[in-house]
Amino acid sequence: MNPAWPVDTARPWLAPYAPRAAAAGATLAQGLGVAEALSNQPVPIGLPAGPLRFVPVHTAPADEAYEAFIFRTAQVPTRDNLHDFFNGLVWLHFPQAKRRLNELQAGEIARAGIGAERGPLRDALTLFDENGAVLDAPPALWEALLARDWQRLFVAERALWRQARLLVFGHALLEKLSSPRKPMTAHVLCAPGASRSVAIDDAAIAAALDAAHLASKPFAPLPVLGVPDWWAPNEAPGFYDDTEVFRPPRPAGRLYPE
């Protein structure tokens, strides 16, 4: 992997991962692969099969599902690319949540096998793992987000974002944010029960990953580059008037692709 890889650890969405990203990046600059660079970091938790390890992708049998292999061996197949680099960072920083996702995925694979369709639970697990986010915010921001009232969310209630925290969990979204573009959208997990927020710590995220709740796809789309202080262009007048990105609420009976 090229040591000039485009990871700017000063970006706000990388703040939770920045120390490990910098340390692993220094290892990559020495010519080691991503699996080795991640394995050089302290691993805070194990899986049922043993201590978590990152291994080159060819280690996994071609005929075994990725998540089933991780569950069986506690080894994460890792390619030399940004996608798998960010996946490893999330494993290291939020191991309980990633372990919970893997346990649910492996359980569904054992129950139903691998077919043409994943089913609602595996779809939701994959969506959160790849593109998910967690928001801890005052109720007024949640109300605006769920209503897709972007002007209220980002303009009228802009000051409330000082009381909010947004975590980008999905490693595919972290990869895409290496080259920020306005339409990039996270799927924010709504917590089970009356409270919408999930506290941004590993145990709280893992606890919110309830199988029945996830199967209902309890996600709210959020254009992440609209978050105040996350991207300089959103300070410009009219930034939030772009209805191709900041879409109005769905008309009754009509679905937008997320």
Side-chain angles (χ1 to χ4, degrees), residues 23-38:
T27 304
L28 289 171
Q30 298 171 14
L32 298 181
V34 172
E36 293 173 287
L38 293 169

Side-chain angles (χ1 to χ4, degrees), residues 173-189:
L173 182 55
L174 287 169
E175 178 191 16
K176 288 185 284 189
L177 283 165
S178 297
S179 299
R181 292 186 302 106
K182 188 176 182 179
M184 291 178 177
T185 299
H187 287 77
V188 176
L189 175 65

Side-chain angles (χ1 to χ4, degrees), residues 1-250:
M1 191 171 175
N2 191 322
W5 48 295
V7 176
D8 180 358
T9 55
R11 296 286 195 176
W13 49 84
L14 284 179
Y17 310 104
R20 288 185 175 88
T27 304
L28 289 171
Q30 298 171 14
L32 298 181
V34 172
E36 293 173 287
L38 293 169
S39 294
N40 282 345
Q41 303 298 307
V43 178
I45 198 169
L47 273 66
L52 178 68
R53 290 185 292 153
F54 300 93
V55 297
V57 69
H58 59 74
T59 303
D63 61 349
E64 185 172 12
Y66 171 82
E67 297 286 355
F69 175 79
I70 295 173
F71 186 78
R72 180 175 65 83
T73 67
Q75 300 176 35
V76 180
T78 303
R79 300 164 295 182
D80 287 327
N81 59 26
L82 275 178
H83 187 90
D84 286 9
F85 177 78
F86 284 123
N87 183 49
L89 289 183
V90 180
W91 264 109
L92 291 170
H93 197 75
F94 294 103
Q96 294 180 64
K98 288 288 280 187
R99 182 174 65 181
R100 175 63 175 158
L101 290 171
N102 175 247
E103 289 172 346
L104 290 170
Q105 287 273 21
E108 282 296 286
I109 291 168
R111 182 187 66 81
I114 299 294
E117 297 183 359
R118 290 191 180 99
L121 177 55
R122 289 195 64 215
D123 276 346
L125 292 166
T126 301
L127 182 64
F128 185 68
D129 194 27
E130 297 279 347
N131 210 60
V134 174
L135 176 64
D136 186 1
L141 292 183
W142 269 105
E143 291 167 8
L145 173 62
L146 295 174
R148 302 194 187 196
D149 187 341
W150 309 116
Q151 291 294 322
R152 180 185 176 195
L153 180 65
F154 291 127
V155 181
E157 303 286 8
R158 197 172 186 85
L160 272 183
W161 280 94
R162 299 191 190 100
Q163 303 173 36
R165 295 177 64 207
L166 176 68
L167 166 76
V168 175
F169 184 93
H171 56 279
L173 182 55
L174 287 169
E175 178 191 16
K176 288 185 284 189
L177 283 165
S178 297
S179 299
R181 292 186 302 106
K182 188 176 182 179
M184 291 178 177
T185 299
H187 287 77
V188 176
L189 175 65
C190 302
S195 172
R196 292 291 182 180
S197 286
V198 177
I200 299 180
D201 66 70
D202 193 21
I205 296 170
L209 298 174
D210 173 78
H213 182 61
L214 286 169
S216 70
K217 291 194 176 176
F219 303 113
L222 174 66
V224 291
L225 293 175
V227 174
D229 298 323
W230 271 40
W231 203 40
N234 74 35
E235 298 288 344
F239 180 87
Y240 301 103
D241 296 337
D242 182 353
T243 57
E244 290 299 311
V245 174
F246 301 98
R247 298 181 179 187
R250 294 186 183 103

